[in-house]
Structure formats: C-alpha cells, structure tokens
Amino acid sequence: MPADPRARLKDAKKALYAEVILDVAEAVFADVGYDDAKMQAVAKLGRTSLAKLYEVFPSKADLYRALHRRRLEVLMRDIAAAVHGCDEQPLLQILRAHTAHIVFHMENKNYLRMHLRDRIAWSSPEGLRCEEQVKAWERGLRMMVTAIDLGVGEATIVDEDAELLARSAMSLHQVALGLWVDRGMKQPVEQVIEAVQRQVLRLLCPADQYEGQERRLLRGRGQLAQPGAISDVAIS
C-alpha cells in the first residue's frame, strides 16, 4: 500500500530542512570552530527556531556528526571512483586519490575551513570528534598503506615505513590546502593539485625515478601518467 502522501511530504520537508541546516552549521563551524559554535547561532543564521533545530538535531554533537556523515560519504565515493581500475598501479592510484581529495575540499570550502579551524593534525586520528571521522581516516590510511606496500614490492615507491609515508602524505594535504585558504582561496585547483603531486612524488619515488615521473606529471598538466600512456589518466 503506497505511503500517505502527507507523510511523504512531511519527510521530504524534514530532509530539505536538514540539508539547509547542515549548510548553515558548516558555515558556523568554519567561522568559529566546534567548541565556540552555538546552536543559537545556527538557528539564527538558518532563520529557524531553536526548538525546531533541536527537534531535528538534538545536540551540537548530533549536528556535527550528521555534517561529517553527509560530506564523508561523498568524499569516499569520489576517491573510490578516482582509483577505479588502477589497483595494479600503486603510484597512479595514490595520486588519483590525492587529486580527488583535494578537489573535494576545494569545492566544499566551508567544510575545508571547518577542518582547518579544528587545528587537528590530519596525519593522526587524535582529536577527531566523531566516529564518522575516525572511520574515514582509518579507511584512507589503509588504502594508502596498501598501495605503498604494493609499490615498494614493485620498486616504484621508496622502501620506507609505509605508514610513515602515508601519514606524511596526509600532512601534505593539510599544509597545501591550509596555504590555499590563507592566500584567499584564489589559486586555481590545477595549480594546487600539481604542487601537491610534485611533493608526493618527492616523498614516494625512488631517487632514480623521480625526474621521469615529474616529466610525465608536467606533460599530463598536473596528473601523473602511466608510463607510455599519458593521455589515459585524466580525472574528470
């Protein structure tokens, strides 16, 4: 039996309301940080009553978790799509994942600013406030370590501690994106991607392979190419 149209309409309105509130909350967290953010400020900016806000999100922690859940689902899906089909090419897989990560945060400026405002090192789960963040961080680390281990075995990635390399690469993202924000968020995404990819190559490539990979990177205009297949790696 089909659902009551009035119930469906009510659910749709509630979902739309939640989306609007999450956008507003993201802006508040980005401006003042989690600790200083107030539910009253979210309600005021969202032009809603505090009672209505608490009806949908019973606490600031619930609001924060919902915000991360929404964004991280999309981010992990974007990364999975970016690395699809290159499981046997670890360096390419890593740089595609990094590109997807950077593009996502540059497109979602308030979410990025919110992360930076928390002043938590991206290379460590210490300080993460909710389960959604921790799970996404652990999944990203596992993906990086697995790819690095494969690359070490193939001698395409330097033979160092895989987790050390993975966490160092995470730090590169934070520094590069933080600098982008500090400079007014005006630098084109392609330039940020290329700068990060160069640093990742310096971190991961054996010394005798770095120059060749950098040349491929330049020819690919910011995207690492597979040897002999430069035109086949565009990330749309």
Side-chain angles (χ1 to χ4, degrees):
M1 185 174 181
D4 184 343
R6 290 173 296 182
R8 291 170 56 194
L9 179 59
K10 182 178 180 181
D11 289 343
K13 286 182 176 179
K14 183 176 181 180
L16 179 60
Y17 175 85
E19 285 296 306
V20 171
I21 291 301
L22 288 175
D23 286 339
V24 170
E26 197 170 68
V28 172
F29 287 132
D31 286 342
V32 302
Y34 179 84
D35 289 334
D36 291 333
K38 306 296 183 185
M39 293 292 273
Q40 292 89 335
V42 175
K44 182 178 180 180
L45 188 60
R47 297 183 178 181
T48 187
S49 70
L50 194 57
K52 177 65 174 177
L53 176 58
Y54 277 119
E55 181 183 326
V56 179
F57 298 105
S59 70
K60 183 170 71 171
D62 290 318
L63 181 58
Y64 189 79
R65 289 190 64 182
L67 195 161
H68 278 292
R69 187 182 307 116
R70 177 180 69 158
R71 292 301 188 200
L72 290 172
E73 285 177 358
V74 176
L75 173 59
M76 300 311 292
R77 186 168 65 240
D78 287 353
I79 291 174
V83 304
H84 179 71
C86 55
D87 292 347
E88 302 304 316
Q89 301 171 79
L91 194 55
L92 176 61
Q93 180 183 12
I94 289 168
L95 288 198
R96 283 189 170 184
H98 281 227
T99 295
H101 188 272
I102 292 167
V103 169
F104 176 86
H105 283 89
M106 292 179 74
E107 288 179 345
N108 295 282
K109 296 180 178 64
N110 280 336
Y111 189 63
L112 169 60
R113 290 175 55 235
M114 186 181 81
H115 270 299
L116 297 173
R117 180 72 66 181
D118 277 345
R119 303 186 186 282
I120 296 170
W122 292 10
S123 59
S124 171
E126 185 71 25
L128 296 180
R129 300 178 187 276
C130 64
E131 182 182 3
E132 287 77 6
Q133 288 177 286
V134 173
K135 286 184 175 180
W137 187 90
E138 290 176 344
R139 181 179 173 187
L141 180 66
R142 286 196 303 269
M143 290 173 61
M144 278 280 291
V145 168
T146 299
I148 290 170
D149 280 336
L150 180 60
V152 169
E154 296 177 349
T156 57
I157 291 178
V158 65
D159 188 4
E160 298 284 355
D161 184 292
E163 186 167 343
L164 173 62
L165 293 175
R167 291 192 183 212
S168 297
M170 291 176 174
S171 295
L172 284 174
H173 281 203
Q174 186 173 21
V175 172
L177 289 170
L179 186 60
W180 180 68
V181 171
D182 290 345
R183 290 176 172 174
M185 299 184 285
K186 297 178 181 179
Q187 187 179 15
V189 62
E190 295 83 2
Q191 291 182 15
V192 177
I193 291 170
E194 183 174 334
V196 172
Q197 288 185 338
R198 283 177 181 272
Q199 295 304 316
V200 171
L201 289 180
R202 291 183 187 279
L203 176 68
L204 298 182
C205 283
D208 61 347
Q209 297 182 32
Y210 172 76
E211 290 186 1
Q213 295 291 13
E214 185 185 34
R215 285 195 296 271
R216 294 187 181 96
L217 179 69
L218 292 174
R219 289 202 298 267
R221 294 184 180 179
Q223 295 165 6
L224 180 70
Q226 304 173 43
I230 292 170
S231 63
D232 191 41
V233 298
I235 303 171
S236 59

